[in-house]
Amino acid sequence: MTTSSTSPPDPPPPSSNDSTTAKIIQHNKPESVLASTTLAKTLTISDQHATILLTSPPPPVTTTSSAEEANKGKESDAIIPKETRSILKLTLVPFHKTALAFVPKDNSTNPASTDADAAKKESDEKKMGDEKKEKEHSDNVVKFLSQFDFKMTSESGAEYSFHEAFLKTDNEEEDDYAPKTKRYKATVFTTDTKEGEDSIGEGNATSPPTAAPAKWSSFKVELISPASDRQVARAMPSPGLSMITETPALYQSITKPFVEGIVSSGSLSWLENVVEGRKEKERLLHDAPDWILNIDTKWRTHPDAFATPRSEWYQHESTVDLYCLGIIKSKNVASLRDLRADHLPTLRDMLEVGPKVIQSIYGIAKDQLRVFVHYQPQFYHFHVHFTRLENDVGCQVEKAHLLADIIQNLELDSEYYAKRTLVYKLSLKDKLYKIMSVACVKDDEKKEEAEKEEAKDVVEDAKTETSG
């Protein structure tokens, strides 16, 4: 996909002015989000993970106007959002899957009715049936999740927060979210369990357990609230993928304005909190002058950073899933495209020191680590991934670039990544892909018009030669 057309970047969010300030209450507690949820939908699910989209009415908004405007009775110009969407990412055990799985819509096609009224009635009935299934699924998800207490383990100071979920006990006493070893009351909606039944124990061989010991029932939760359109789009099941051939010209005309729009919108404030040490201090492994090394949130099996002493992290069984993140402190490098020879000292330090820190804390040797960079990245502030070789998440050839190769390329040419054509994949739902697609269509239309004009010129020249 190649084009020279331009496209405006994402507009920044609306800002408040001196006379009117809209204060939107942001939730960082799953209980608060669930209490206001009007629709819950499981987007993706496996035996280990689930991603759930929660939709709520507009959050409470309070506006403060100047006394003069108040006296004049002017209405506030505050922009009130239509709805709030939140994303829950859960690390589960298999028996939770039954409660959270979404029954897909019936997409079967019946023979077309010759009667238009009858066909419309069938279509309306099918739509109502689908809506009923969605509502039942939503109710089941909310009821299931409402059986848990949530203990916050970390938060970024923005829309991201992390929690541990524990089954509530039969008694109603405050337990400070501590897991219990007594009898549990949990309702899971299956064909073998009626709503409201008590289910005790581990279940049997023919049906999934509906309750379990605390260590099985607890799970980790990542909450994004409120979630932006881009975050929701990333969480949605992908409709397909496309390979992109990004020339330097395409980067300058399309990708760079797109990236600059995201960076300037202020959506990376959560990352600034992490880099500057205001948030997620418990996940910090190393703090260098130009970069930091953190435990990546994708390492969901990592021992609790608050409850487990670091001495017990060494050779911990969870290191098979090792995933750490090196983040540079400079705000001027959004992605691989921005790297120059000036950045080599920092990159070399990350490649040399990062594995040493990981080995000292986790006991994993350097030759067991994969150190790489994504393009396109998940967020536009340059960062480096450190994973164990057994963990192949995100290391596909159309996405990952080894840090050792990046360093060598910059040693050969400081402008290497400014000049190079980069090939990568994008989801068809990705906004960047959609912008590129529109630009390509326009480019193709211009090309077609140019070819038509050229054909006309050839015909005219032929006529002239014939008449001559």
Side-chain angles (χ1 to χ4, degrees):
M1 183 178 290
T2 305
T3 180
S4 59
S5 302
T6 60
S7 176
D10 283 347
S15 59
S16 59
N17 51 45
D18 294 336
S19 61
T20 304
T21 303
K23 299 179 180 179
I24 300 176
I25 298 176
Q26 298 185 6
H27 298 297
N28 61 358
K29 295 182 178 180
E31 299 97 321
S32 301
V33 176
L34 289 169
S36 62
T37 294
T38 55
L39 183 65
K41 183 175 182 180
T42 300
L43 303 179
T44 60
I45 192 166
S46 67
D47 283 347
Q48 290 79 36
H49 303 106
T51 302
I52 300 169
L53 178 65
L54 305 174
T55 303
S56 306
V61 176
T62 60
T63 60
T64 57
S65 303
S66 64
E68 182 179 354
E69 286 186 350
N71 292 334
K72 292 181 179 179
K74 291 186 177 180
E75 295 183 358
S76 169
D77 293 329
I79 299 176
I80 302 177
K82 296 180 180 179
E83 62 184 14
T84 297
R85 294 185 294 178
S86 304
I87 296 172
L88 277 180
K89 296 182 180 181
L90 314 179
T91 301
L92 306 171
V93 290
F95 75 82
H96 290 123
K97 183 176 179 180
T98 304
L100 298 175
F102 178 56
V103 179
K105 295 181 180 180
D106 180 11
N107 293 319
S108 59
T109 56
N110 298 322
S113 174
T114 54
D115 186 340
D117 291 338
K120 184 178 184 304
K121 181 179 179 182
E122 290 176 5
S123 176
D124 291 343
E125 289 176 350
K126 183 177 183 301
K127 182 178 179 181
M128 290 177 62
D130 289 340
E131 290 176 348
K132 182 179 179 181
K133 289 180 182 178
E134 289 182 350
K135 183 63 168 61
E136 290 175 350
H137 166 70
S138 176
D139 291 344
N140 285 351
V141 169
V142 173
K143 287 178 182 178
F144 173 77
L145 293 174
S146 296
Q147 298 172 107
F148 292 84
D149 283 326
F150 297 86
K151 176 184 177 182
M152 181 183 290
T153 58
S154 178
E155 54 96 12
S156 66
E159 68 269 28
Y160 293 89
S161 59
F162 304 89
H163 309 260
E164 187 87 12
F166 300 102
L167 270 174
K168 295 177 180 178
T169 59
D170 279 352
N171 63 51
E172 297 180 356
E173 297 177 3
E174 271 304 317
D175 60 0
D176 197 27
Y177 302 110
K180 296 291 192 284
T181 57
K182 58 180 73 172
R183 182 174 182 266
Y184 288 88
K185 180 177 181 180
T187 304
V188 175
F189 303 93
T190 71
T191 55
D192 302 311
T193 306
K194 295 180 181 179
E195 181 175 343
E197 283 186 345
D198 286 3
S199 300
I200 310 302
E202 302 179 22
N204 53 56
T206 58
S207 63
T210 53
K215 66 178 182 179
W216 287 6
S217 299
S218 63
F219 53 86
K220 297 183 184 298
V221 179
E222 177 184 351
L223 171 65
I224 306 175
S225 181
S228 67
D229 291 342
R230 185 167 187 261
Q231 289 164 332
V232 172
R234 289 180 63 89
M236 291 287 186
S238 175
L241 301 167
S242 177
M243 291 298 288
I244 307 297
T245 301
E246 184 184 270
T247 64
L250 178 60
Y251 172 74
Q252 289 292 332
S253 62
I254 300 294
T255 311
K256 186 177 180 180
F258 173 78
V259 172
E260 289 175 343
I262 292 176
V263 172
S264 64
S265 70
S267 62
L268 295 177
S269 60
W270 65 271
L271 188 63
E272 293 178 12
N273 289 330
V274 173
V275 171
E276 295 174 9
R278 293 192 293 269
K279 297 293 181 180
E280 298 189 20
K281 294 180 181 179
E282 73 283 356
R283 307 179 76 89
L284 181 64
L285 302 176
H286 180 69
D287 189 355
D290 299 322
W291 63 284
I292 64 171
L293 182 66
N294 264 29
I295 304 166
D296 195 290
T297 56
K298 287 187 283 294
W299 187 357
R300 298 183 181 182
T301 60
H302 191 284
D304 190 322
F306 285 108
T308 308
R310 291 205 173 194
S311 59
E312 296 181 18
W313 297 3
Y314 194 84
Q315 295 288 338
H316 192 275
E317 60 183 0
S318 69
T319 55
V320 68
D321 301 319
L322 188 146
Y323 207 130
C324 298
L325 199 66
I327 309 171
I328 69 167
K329 294 183 178 181
S330 171
K331 300 178 182 179
N332 299 322
V333 185
S335 75
L336 186 65
R337 284 284 192 186
D338 298 319
L339 291 177
R340 300 294 184 269
D342 293 345
H343 302 112
L344 281 171
T346 300
L347 299 178
R348 292 187 186 116
D349 196 46
M350 297 177 85
L351 184 61
E352 180 67 23
V353 177
K356 289 182 179 178
V357 173
I358 290 172
Q359 183 167 11
S360 68
I361 296 176
Y362 299 107
I364 305 303
K366 180 178 181 179
D367 65 358
Q368 296 301 302
L369 297 176
R370 182 188 295 109
V371 186
F372 60 97
V373 172
H374 282 156
Y375 191 79
Q376 294 282 327
Q378 181 177 351
F379 55 87
Y380 293 104
H381 182 115
F382 185 76
H383 54 281
V384 176
H385 303 261
F386 295 77
T387 66
R388 196 163 179 177
L389 293 179
E390 288 88 344
N391 184 355
D392 59 2
V393 174
C395 64
Q396 296 87 350
V397 295
E398 69 275 12
K399 185 178 182 70
H401 300 254
L402 291 174
L403 182 56
D405 290 343
I406 293 172
I407 291 173
Q408 291 185 52
N409 291 334
L410 291 173
E411 288 173 341
L412 293 172
D413 184 352
S414 177
E415 300 287 320
Y416 183 88
Y417 289 102
K419 298 176 181 177
R420 183 183 164 181
T421 293
L422 296 174
V423 180
Y424 54 86
K425 67 179 178 183
L426 281 180
S427 169
L428 300 186
K429 68 184 180 183
D430 195 292
K431 187 171 183 178
L432 178 58
Y433 173 81
K434 294 177 181 178
I435 293 174
M436 288 181 173
S437 298
V438 171
C440 282
V441 169
K442 292 180 179 179
D443 212 37
D444 289 341
E445 290 174 350
K446 291 179 181 179
K447 184 177 180 181
E448 185 178 347
E449 288 297 322
E451 289 174 349
K452 288 180 180 179
E453 291 297 324
E454 185 177 353
K456 288 181 181 179
D457 293 340
V458 171
V459 171
E460 291 297 326
D461 290 342
K463 288 181 180 180
T464 302
E465 290 178 3
T466 302
S467 61

